[in-house]
Amino acid sequence: MSAPLFLLDSLPTADTLTLDGPEGHHAATVQRLRVGEELLLADGKGGTATAVVTAVGRGSLELDVTSRGYVDASVPRLVVVQGIAKGDRGELAVQAMTEVGVDEIVPWAASRSVAQWRGDRGVRAREKWVATAREAAKQARRSWLPVVAGSPDESTNQVARRIGGSAAAFVLHEEADDRLTTVDLPDAGEIVLVVGPEGGIAPAEVDAFAAAGARPVRLGPSVLRTSTAGVAALAVLATRLSRW
């Protein structure tokens, strides 16, 4: 089994480190790492380090840093505009998309979104997405932590503007003629992928995104849930872009 990864705000410059706080508690108490075991550290912005446990405290570890590295950001960037879903389906989507390599997730207040992120509820819901992405990035041993867009939710007009500035944009739609497996992809810039909520994307939204430059595409004959459509599309893109 590969060494577990722990995220820090910044990586140590010294050759020794005390890993404490929530990450230290998780390493020492939950994962019960012991002296001599190896672990990975990352700052979520490409910086990495390998360390070995030299002592175990109460909710903390003493570490010797044995190597440092840096992983370049993936190009092109993969951005998923995820329609806000009810229950835990949005968090399931965020978890799975993070594990397969999404670079940014944009919560979208689609017209058919049953759940609405307003006021404090929206702030808390976005924070759940951020926390979910963080934990999934650790599970996947990712050096780069995906960004969750700063606004609690984006309007259709805001998404259209994002599409207009992208290198390519695609709207997952079951009635589209083109397939994501065959459309042309850019070598750089940003690829925006729009995933609708449970009720799908309204015709007016499809028209607005198409006017901004997006292309409706389908994955296959099946209609996928909002919690699985994005991860399936990302798997296609990761393969076609030689990430996988």
Side-chain angles (χ1 to χ4, degrees):
M1 184 175 178
S2 60
L5 182 142
F6 300 91
L7 286 167
L8 304 176
D9 291 335
S10 60
L11 293 177
T13 56
D15 292 334
T16 59
L17 167 72
T18 299
L19 183 66
D20 52 14
E23 294 292 76
H25 170 78
H26 188 75
T29 306
V30 179
Q31 295 208 0
R32 301 177 66 85
L33 295 181
R34 294 294 179 255
V35 172
E37 291 191 89
E38 189 174 78
L39 56 82
L40 304 174
L41 303 171
D43 61 7
K45 300 180 285 292
T48 63
T50 302
V52 174
V53 180
T54 58
V56 179
R58 188 184 180 114
S60 66
L61 298 177
E62 298 298 324
L63 306 175
D64 278 352
V65 177
T66 57
S67 65
R68 294 179 174 82
Y70 181 81
V71 178
D72 290 329
S74 297
V75 178
R77 293 184 78 242
L78 299 180
V79 178
V80 174
V81 175
Q82 174 67 51
I84 295 171
K86 64 182 180 181
D88 63 354
R89 290 181 183 173
E91 291 166 43
L92 290 173
V94 170
Q95 177 182 350
M97 291 191 297
T98 298
E99 290 177 5
V100 299
V102 71
D103 297 303
E104 184 173 354
I105 302 168
V106 180
W108 169 39
S111 63
R112 293 178 178 173
S113 289
V114 176
Q116 299 294 320
W117 287 9
R118 295 193 177 98
D120 291 341
R121 178 182 179 182
V123 173
R124 291 194 299 271
R126 178 188 171 275
E127 288 174 349
K128 280 188 177 181
W129 282 27
V130 171
T132 299
R134 180 183 177 88
E135 292 308 308
K138 290 168 59 177
Q139 169 65 36
R141 315 303 199 258
R142 287 190 57 174
S143 303
W144 284 87
L145 185 63
V147 175
V148 177
S151 174
D153 60 342
E154 298 281 331
S155 69
T156 296
N157 288 338
Q158 289 172 308
V159 172
R161 286 195 292 271
R162 182 69 177 260
I163 288 170
S166 67
F170 305 102
V171 180
L172 294 185
H173 199 278
E174 65 269 20
E175 296 179 1
D177 295 323
D178 295 328
R179 292 181 181 268
L180 187 59
T181 51
T182 59
V183 293
D184 292 334
L185 300 177
D187 295 325
E190 188 170 278
I191 297 176
V192 175
L193 186 71
V194 181
V195 179
E198 299 99 322
I201 302 176
E205 293 167 334
V206 175
D207 291 343
F209 296 153
R215 188 172 177 177
V217 295
R218 65 186 304 171
L219 290 168
S222 302
V223 178
L224 302 182
R225 290 182 181 272
T226 186
S227 55
T228 54
V231 67
L234 286 168
V236 170
L237 293 176
T239 303
R240 294 195 59 199
L241 295 168
S242 298
R243 289 194 182 190
W244 286 9

